[in-house]
Structures are given as C-alpha cells and as structure tokens.
Amino acid sequence: MLTLVGCIRGIVLELDGNARYVNAWADDPALLARPPAEMIGRSIEDVLGPSGAQFTAMVLRVFRTGEVEHLEYPLELEGGRRWFFADIKRVGAAESGFTVVFFARDITERKAIEEALARSEERYRLALQATNDVLWDWDLVHDTLSWNVAVTTMLGYTEPGRVGAWWKECIHPDDRSGVIERISHALASDARAWSDSYRFRCADGGYGDFVDRGFIMRDASGRAIRMVGSMTDVTKINRLQAQLLQADRLVALGTLAAGIGHEINNPLSYVIGNIDSSLQLLDDRSNELRELLDEALEGAKRIAETVKSLKDFTRTEGSEARLLDVQQVLGAAIKMADKEIRHRARLVYAFERLPRVRGNESQLAQMFLNLLLNAVQSMPIGRARAHEVRVSTRVVDGSHVVISIEDTGAGLSPDDLSRVFDPFFTTKEARAGAGLGLSICHRIVQQHGGTIAVTSEPGAGSRFTVRLPASAQLLAAGLPRVLVIDDEAAIGRVVTRQFGGRAEVISLMSAREGLTRLSSDEHFDLVLCDLMMPEMTGIELYEELRQVNPGVLGRMFFMTGGAFTANAQTFLDTIATGCLNKPLAREELFALLPLRS
C-alpha cells in the first residue's frame, strides 16, 4: 500500500476496527500529527487527544456499515491555513479482514477560488439590493427578459413581463416609436452600447421619466445576442429642474416688475391723488365732469392694481409676517387668474366681513393662486357657461378665517384624494405641471398655523377649504399728527389731501430735515418716509433714529415705488412695522391712524 501511495499528494491513513493506526503516510511530514512510527498501533485519541473523538466515531461507523463518508477540514501550519478534503472508506474482505482507509487531498487552492467566488456573488447581491436602478438582462436570441427586485419596489410590478414586447408596450405611446427605432438601429449596427430617455408606465398606471442604458453583447459573427442594462428614475430631477427654470423666470419677472413699478407708481400717485381730491371739490352740478373723473380714477386704480399684483407675486418669500386683509390678498390672486378663469368657468364669490390675519402676503397670495389654477385646470376650455369656480370667505367661532375655493370640474378618485398633497403627485399630463402646487399650498398653510382640507367626488368637482387663525388689529389712542418725508413734494401734497381733516400732516422733502424734527421733543403719531432718497436714505434715517429717538420707530412706515436693492429688502424684513407701496390707497392710510380718544 505504501508503494501505491508514494506517488499521491496528500495524506493516507489506514486504521483497524478499533480505530488504531495501521499505516500513516503524507507527502509532507508536517501534515501528520506525529511521525508515522509514533502513530502505528496507537488509537486516534492517543495521537490527537480528546479532539479526535469525532474522527474515532466516524472511522468506527465506516468500519461497521461499509458506507463511504467524506470530511472537509483545515490544518493550521507554519505557512498558514491549508484545507483538505478526505474520503473515508472500508477496504479488504471478510475472509482476510477489513480496514478503513482515510485519503485526504489538499484543496487549499480550490477553497480560495470558492471563497473568492462567494465574496464576489455576495458583493453582486448587495449591489443589486443597494442600487435604486431597475436592472434588466435581455436574452435577444430567445427573447427573454429578467429583472432585479427594483422592478417591484420602484415600478410596482409583482409579475413583470418576461419578453421584450412587454417592455415596449409600457413605454409611453408618444415616446414608443422613437425608442424602438433607436434601439433597433443600435442592435442592427455594430454598436456596443445604447442609451435613451423615455416615459415608462408603472404598475399604478402613472408614467415616470427614465434614462435607460444598455450594453450589447455579440457573437463571433457580430450578431447581437444579449443586452444588459439599467433604468434610472429621473422623474423628480426633471420636475425639480422645471421648478428651477420657473423660479428663474420669476426672478426675471420680479426684476422687471420692480423697475416698472418704480417708474409708474410715483407719477401714478399724483394722478390718483389729484383726481380723488378733484372729485371731493366738485359740486352736484358737475355730473358730467364727475363721470369723466370717476372713469379716469377707475382706470388709474386698475393700473395701480396690476402693478401691485405683479410685485406681490414676485416678492421674495423672506418678507416678515404682518396683519393682512385676506380678501385683498385673495382678490389679487383672482385678478392674476382671471384670464384662465374666464375661458373655463363663471366666477362666483361670497365674501363676509373678516378680521385680519397675520401672515406673509406673498406666500398667501401664491397659495390662493395655486388653488384657483388647480380648480380652473380641472375644467375644459370653452365651456365657461357650464362650469363655476366658487370662492367664499367666512368667520368661524370668531377665531378663524375660512376660505373655500370650489369647482365643478372632473373631481378626484378616492385614491387620488388621499395623495393630493403629496409632492410630485399630479393627475395632469406630465407637461401640464410638476405636481408641487398643492404640496406648496399645504406647507404655506401649516407655516401660518392653519389647516387645509379637500373634499371631492369624481365628476362632481372639488372643494378646498383653508382655515387660518384670525388676529385682532389694535390701534393706539390720541390725536393723529402725521409726518411725511419724501423728496417729491407732490407725494406730501397727495397724502395731505387724502387724510383731509382726519390728521395734521407735516410734509418734508429731506431725510436730514426729518431727523432734526424727530430728534426734538415734537411728537408724531405716524411717520411716512420714502425708502430711497438722495443725500440721506430712509434706511439711514432709521438707523440715526435708533440712536436718538428709538421710540418713534414703532410708528414709522416706509413708502416705495417698488425698486430697491437686496440690502433694502433685508432691512425691510427686519423692521417691526412695514412698507407701503405707491400709489398710496386712502383706506390703507386711514388704517394706520390711531383712534381719537
């Protein structure tokens, strides 16, 4: 036997029916627990100690049953760990007697390959789990498709199609022919890769935007036989890019609006103020002239409202919250949406007298406009007589202002209703909106301490109800004295006429002269100051007063025609009062006056 094993690499052991060594051999003596001469005639446990009990049981079992057993085990040697695989079998005959032969082969190299392969497979498995992409493998010869788990977690398909036709069918109809044409060209040519962008239908019926990339494998003749690739969901990225583009447009519009407002509002103040004052001077015999002036005043006010609406809807959101007339903000939003409304529905509204609300005017205006456009876009163009947009306001429990915007449009299904405030959710076509309008409304209402709710039925329209906390406006007592500081004298004259006999108005054309008057003991109940003036600006005057007469700052309001710097906007955001937009409205000025005691 030793002659036979001399040409074998590994370990050969021969044991009798009592698990005693009969022969022991190894191509490397270090593989044996002891030299062969010290092993012959000894039992396994004599040689290996207690750790040999399992080996003893195995040898006795093979000797008794005659069945072959196998064992894989490591040995810690000076050169490192080595792995062995052993066959344990009974040999001989009953007449001459049986022995058990243990033959172990070195499998260290094979074991290393297996472990490396297992690690590679584990990394691949983890990569498949970690990626957000939908991975696919397309056997072009047999037309079979396989997918990773993302086809379920991302697209919602529990049983995705396994043929190329299913994938093609899920491509948006408007994109399908172009995608098929381009991938067919890539497969027919010698291309090694293909990529495309298209909309793909998910399991819920909605479409997402995807970028698809695939690598093409070919046989020796150049025929495409397999494609492996990934679909990346870029829906949110595309919609965010659309929002950024819209934001850039709004910035440009805001810059334009500010410039236009500054150039229009100052002269418009003279026009409106003087027409208004002229009307007060007319007697009852001048009916024809009164009618002409009324029409001129109405036209001038419409110009002022248009400029104000542009400024309101392009103002930065960082402006400070103040007491607002909700119906004025809502009215501005209605004017902005008027063109869209008139082609789709009749506008019906019912406004109750409301307390004021503390809030950010531009944010509330954006919220109302979004709700109005959402209502309008649920109805078709050209059927204005058949549809309505109903806007109403009321007070609830004396503590909340409630605004309802209702339409008679398509309505929402129960499933859509539950997701209506989710970012990027939309029932419109992909090009009709990014699905952010209602989620922005929800955020704005929450920031104002309110709630927003929706009720809807398919085919019966929707109603959005906004509930905002009311705030009572408190006015100081005392006889009003008003100081107007503006480098254009006409502004002072107009303010004087608008207040009439309700206040004593002192008009100055210099901020430095205003500083002198306000630094003295002279008392003013209201200070109206132009924001941007030569020599000393309103901001510089405010900072000087902070040192010499800080008590007047709570009664100081700024006036602006609309154009001012980013630093000026930052300043306005930090002061406790606020800013009035020219042309100045009579009602707005009266609201600033304290009550007479």
Side-chain angles (χ1 to χ4, degrees), residues 189-500:
S189 66
D190 59 354
R192 292 292 180 181
W194 159 88
S195 65
D196 215 330
S197 300
Y198 55 84
R199 288 164 289 174
F200 193 80
R201 186 176 66 242
C202 300
D204 61 4
Y207 284 89
D209 299 336
F210 288 86
V211 173
D212 203 345
R213 303 176 182 86
F215 295 94
I216 304 170
M217 282 159 271
R218 302 178 181 275
D219 61 14
S221 67
R223 182 183 62 146
I225 58 173
R226 183 183 179 191
M227 284 189 75
V228 178
S230 64
M231 296 168 57
T232 303
D233 188 346
V234 295
T235 307
K236 291 185 178 180
I237 294 174
N238 287 351
R239 291 178 178 176
L240 284 172
Q241 287 175 340
Q243 290 296 308
L244 289 173
L245 179 60
Q246 180 67 10
D248 288 342
R249 291 171 179 167
L250 286 176
V251 170
L253 178 60
T255 304
L256 179 63
I260 291 175
H262 182 262
E263 296 300 323
I264 292 176
N265 283 338
N266 273 337
L268 196 59
S269 294
Y270 320 152
V271 175
I272 292 177
N274 288 326
I275 293 175
D276 198 17
S277 298
S278 298
L279 286 170
Q280 306 302 319
L281 297 174
L282 290 178
D283 56 32
D284 295 337
R285 294 172 296 176
S286 306
N287 291 334
E288 184 176 354
L289 180 57
R290 180 178 296 278
E291 183 178 345
L292 293 174
L293 289 174
D294 280 338
E295 290 180 359
L297 183 60
E298 181 183 355
K301 286 183 176 179
R302 286 181 62 184
I303 294 172
E305 288 172 0
T306 300
V307 174
K308 183 178 184 298
S309 295
L310 281 172
K311 288 164 58 185
D312 288 344
F313 284 97
T314 54
R315 186 180 304 157
T316 60
E317 294 190 355
S319 56
E320 186 174 334
R322 61 187 181 89
L323 290 177
L324 301 171
D325 183 336
V326 170
Q327 289 177 173
Q328 286 186 356
V329 180
L330 184 56
I334 290 173
K335 284 183 172 61
M336 293 295 288
D338 179 67
K339 184 177 179 181
E340 291 288 332
I341 295 173
R342 73 176 66 171
H343 296 299
R344 298 175 186 253
R346 292 178 293 111
L347 179 63
V348 180
Y349 53 87
F351 290 169
E352 293 183 5
R353 184 177 178 84
L354 301 176
R356 296 200 173 197
V357 167
R358 180 168 294 278
N360 182 300
E361 184 175 1
S362 62
Q363 289 182 351
L364 291 179
Q366 179 185 9
M367 183 264 294
F368 289 139
L369 180 61
N370 285 353
L371 292 178
L372 286 166
L373 293 178
N374 184 74
V376 168
Q377 291 169 0
S378 70
M379 297 173 285
I381 297 176
R383 299 186 59 196
R385 294 185 179 181
H387 291 282
E388 286 184 354
V389 173
R390 292 187 286 274
V391 183
S392 63
T393 63
R394 66 185 189 276
V395 183
V396 176
D397 301 329
S399 61
H400 284 82
V401 171
V402 176
I403 305 96
S404 295
I405 298 177
E406 186 174 359
D407 64 73
T408 56
L412 297 166
S413 69
D415 288 343
D416 290 343
L417 192 63
S418 65
R419 302 173 58 195
V420 73
F421 294 116
D422 291 350
F424 303 109
F425 174 76
T426 180
T427 58
K428 305 168 189 174
E429 287 294 323
R431 294 181 178 86
L436 286 170
L438 292 179
S439 65
I440 290 174
C441 291
H442 188 267
R443 174 177 57 81
I444 291 173
V445 172
Q446 282 189 326
Q447 289 175 346
H448 284 76
T451 60
I452 182 170
V454 57
T455 58
S456 184
E457 292 183 15
S462 304
R463 179 192 293 119
F464 287 82
T465 303
V466 175
R467 184 183 175 107
L468 298 171
S471 177
Q473 182 178 19
L474 301 177
L475 299 177
L479 182 66
R481 295 187 77 238
V482 179
L483 178 63
V484 178
I485 306 171
D486 197 299
D487 59 317
E488 296 195 43
I491 296 295
R493 292 195 297 270
V494 167
V495 172
T496 301
R497 295 189 190 104
Q498 288 179 316
F499 275 126

Side-chain angles (χ1 to χ4, degrees), residues 13 68-71 85-89 100-105:
L13 304 173
V68 179
E69 295 194 21
H70 306 282
L71 177 65
F85 182 83
D87 295 317
I88 306 171
K89 62 177 65 177
V100 173
V101 174
F102 173 98
F103 172 44
R105 300 179 299 278

Side-chain angles (χ1 to χ4, degrees), residues 526-546:
L526 177 64
V527 178
L528 301 175
C529 181
D530 191 24
L531 185 65
M532 306 303 294
M533 291 180 288
E535 297 184 2
M536 175 182 277
T537 67
I539 298 173
E540 293 169 337
L541 172 60
Y542 188 96
E543 295 300 329
E544 289 288 339
L545 291 173
R546 193 193 298 273

